[in-house]
Amino acid sequence: MSDTAEKVKKIVVEHLGVEEAKVTPEASFIDDLGADSLDTVELVMAFEEAFGVEIPDDAAEKITTVKDAIEYIEKHKGE
Amino acid sequence: MFQNGFSPRRVVVTGMGIACPLGLGVEHVWKRMLAGESGIGSIQSFDVSTLPAKIAGQIPTGVKADGRLDINEWIPIKDQKKMDRFIQFALVAAEEAVADSGWVPPDEEARCRTGVMIGSGIGGLETIHEAATLAVQGKIKRISPFFIPSALINLASGQVSIKYGFKGPNHSVVTACATGVHALGDAARLIALGDADVMVAGGAEAAVCELGVAGFCAARALSTGFNDTPQKASRPWDEGRDGFVMGEGSGVLVLEEYEHAKARGAKIYAEVIGYGMSGDAYHITAPAEGHEGAFRAMTAALRSAGVTPAEVQYVNAHGTSTPLGDDLELEAVERLWGDAGKGLAMSSTKSAVGHLLGAAGAVEGIFSILAIRDNVAPPTLNLEKPSRESVIDRVALQAQPRKIEVALSNSFGFGGTNASIVFRAAA
């Protein structure tokens, strides 16, 4: 697993208070990890802070799974 | 309204919960209070070096088993960031109160007949401070999506209702330091008038933070002369008093319609028999001359209770330990009780826990009810030399065994708002 994936996983575990094993790439924040819409807003803010990326609202709306987050961050970090 | 011949219903107290500077748990706190212990200490949680007041009543930290608070034992870490500490305190007190009452709504209809009314004087002040700091630092986009629901006063009621599924009236009171009594009185009225059968009611406050202490310091309201001897600082009616001591915590009561409580065999602590309110229309922070607003609130409460002053054996005073307020309240009580004042005990439990602001009326309601249950008046600590004499026994220094059938509790708030509530022993 990449550094980004590890870090994303850690943030998700901390913010949503879920077991690490549940945070698979395919896991949906809302459907599988018990998040509500405010939780996902906060999660995206935590990604922005941790990786120094900016995630605009329209992009944030499309980040619904762990994999979505990892891919977006991999693509945009260092921009 | 009420064109149908409706007549008010009786309201009793069937559950109580408390988190305050003397600790967690009604029996634990009460035992310490009767033993004359104080919950006031130095403020350690933030830097007070530039503030004139450096002490407060803070909930002791530690494990639940010792009557102390470790919030991780009560609320999942991921949820803690969604609520200011005042809401966390409300959830802690509500958990004890609801469990104590034994009330679990058996169906949807019963859930819809169970409401919540928990108020706060100030609400999420620390949360607002943190968000404002981000704004000042140019990090406005870092403000949490939980900022508003964490700071809003009615979210104490909201969070309790969500936790338990109580779908009845969901309401909240904001009347500064009178909040607790107003919440209990208004909630009792909702039951009396038929809007609900059970109400989880009380107050919560967590204003012992940098902004809160600084604000009350600026208003010259706090004690500043006892920073080295914190437990001596809250001294209602004593000639050495120099301001109030802030406290934090929550008191929550389960109020219930009498027949409803009886039908399910609930333990009944006391009955809420009277409630009275008034406004001073005088000054934003100072009480009116002769505390005539307090006099009218107490008069209204006794009238609604249908009892005379002579039938009341205990008053839990607002008694904040301020130079002006204490004697004015005493004057109002003396005037109202007249000769009956000779048989009255009146104490200020703020001497032990400090002033819990919006939670004060709720925790003091609990102390008043326990005074009835155990026939004992809790002490006014540090009342070594009263600034003036009175026929009314202010229960100096030590708890007093007394026959107490009816108790009245006072709370007055900035803005000139006054409320009194009357409890009677369960019949």
Side-chain angles (χ1 to χ4, degrees), chain B residues 312-334:
Chain B
V312 180
Q313 296 86 21
Y314 174 67
V315 170
N316 188 295
H318 185 57
T320 58
S321 187
T322 55
L324 188 63
D326 291 8
D327 280 347
L328 287 179
E329 182 182 13
L330 176 62
E331 191 183 323
V333 173
E334 284 173 338

Side-chain angles (χ1 to χ4, degrees), chain B residues 42-412:
Chain B
S42 301
I43 295 171
Q44 308 286 353
S45 50
F46 56 95
D47 180 19
V48 287
S49 58
T50 56
L51 293 168
K54 304 178 194 303
I55 57 171
Q58 294 174 284
I59 298 178
T61 54
V63 297
K64 196 197 288 194
D66 293 338
R68 291 164 167 266
L69 181 63
D70 172 0
I71 200 65
N72 295 333
E73 285 187 275
W74 298 82
I75 299 164
I77 292 172
K78 75 175 174 72
D79 292 331
Q80 290 171 23
K81 64 190 174 206
K82 302 178 182 177
M83 49 182 94
D84 187 86
R85 274 164 26 100
F86 86 97
I87 298 175
Q88 298 177 6
F89 296 162
L91 281 167
V92 170
E95 187 165 322
E96 183 188 5
V98 171
D100 183 39
S101 76
W103 173 236
V104 181
D107 54 28
E108 183 69 0
E109 168 65 11
R111 280 188 286 278
C112 293
R113 299 288 299 163
T114 303
V116 187
M117 177 148 14
I118 298 172
S120 180
I122 302 184
L125 190 58
E126 200 170 357
T127 296
I128 293 169
H129 188 181
E130 284 164 9
T133 302
L134 288 174
V136 170
Q137 293 170 341
K139 298 177 184 167
I140 199 101
K141 286 187 72 184
R142 296 259 79 87
I143 286 176
S144 162
F146 304 117
F147 163 47
I148 299 292
S150 176
L152 289 181
I153 283 177
N154 72 297
L155 261 286
S157 292
Q159 290 282 9
V160 169
S161 74
I162 291 164
K163 177 173 173 182
Y164 291 99
F166 296 154
K167 295 183 168 180
N170 199 268
H171 207 331
S172 191
V173 173
V174 183
T175 50
C177 306
T179 296
V181 167
H182 277 132
L184 298 182
D186 288 354
R189 288 207 172 160
L190 290 186
I191 296 170
L193 298 180
D195 296 279
D197 294 327
V198 181
M199 289 294 295
V200 177
E205 202 75 80
V208 182
C209 60
E210 207 175 355
L211 273 190
V213 176
F216 281 111
C217 277
R220 304 291 186 270
L222 299 184
S223 169
T224 56
F226 296 86
N227 287 330
D228 297 329
T229 51
Q231 303 203 337
K232 293 279 169 199
S234 189
R235 40 195 319 116
W237 300 297
D238 185 82
E239 65 170 11
R241 70 187 186 273
D242 70 338
F244 77 80
V245 177
M246 290 176 72
E248 66 180 11
S250 176
V252 172
L253 291 82
V254 176
L255 307 180
E256 189 166 349
E257 194 269 322
Y258 174 65
E259 296 297 340
H260 189 276
K262 228 173 56 172
R264 68 182 185 92
K267 158 185 77 229
I268 295 175
Y269 284 102
E271 181 168 357
V272 182
I273 58 168
Y275 174 43
M277 297 163 276
S278 73
D280 285 350
Y282 175 73
H283 186 268
I284 53 173
T285 60
E289 219 161 287
H291 226 320
E292 67 85 28
F295 182 89
R296 286 184 289 111
M298 289 187 283
T299 302
L302 293 179
R303 192 195 310 127
S304 85
V307 299
T308 63
E311 292 172 272
V312 180
Q313 296 86 21
Y314 174 67
V315 170
N316 188 295
H318 185 57
T320 58
S321 187
T322 55
L324 188 63
D326 291 8
D327 280 347
L328 287 179
E329 182 182 13
L330 176 62
E331 191 183 323
V333 173
E334 284 173 338
R335 184 154 74 92
L336 183 53
W337 263 258
D339 280 347
K342 287 195 277 266
L344 184 67
M346 172 164 80
S347 63
S348 170
T349 46
K350 289 186 177 78
S351 59
V353 295
H355 188 355
L356 273 64
L357 311 175
V363 301
E364 289 159 19
I366 291 173
F367 298 145
S368 302
I369 290 163
L370 293 169
I372 292 171
R373 184 192 71 177
D374 294 345
N375 286 303
V376 60
T380 304
L381 304 186
N382 303 315
L383 179 50
E384 285 152 6
K385 190 164 183 228
S387 56
R388 74 171 183 78
E389 293 306 318
S390 172
V391 295
I392 294 167
D393 189 330
R394 282 165 285 171
V395 203
L397 308 176
Q398 284 188 331
Q400 280 179 19
R402 295 180 85 108
K403 179 80 193 133
I404 301 173
E405 175 88 14
V406 178
L408 176 145
S409 185
N410 279 334
S411 285
F412 316 131

Side-chain angles (χ1 to χ4, degrees), chain A residues 15-17 38-39 41-42 45 48-49 54, chain B residues 77-78 81-82 141-146 149:
Chain A
H15 281 260
L16 300 182
L38 291 184
D39 290 320
V41 172
E42 204 214 15
M45 285 172 60
E48 289 181 319
E49 181 96 10
E54 188 131 340
Chain B
I77 292 172
K78 75 175 174 72
K81 64 190 174 206
K82 302 178 182 177
K141 286 187 72 184
R142 296 259 79 87
I143 286 176
S144 162
F146 304 117

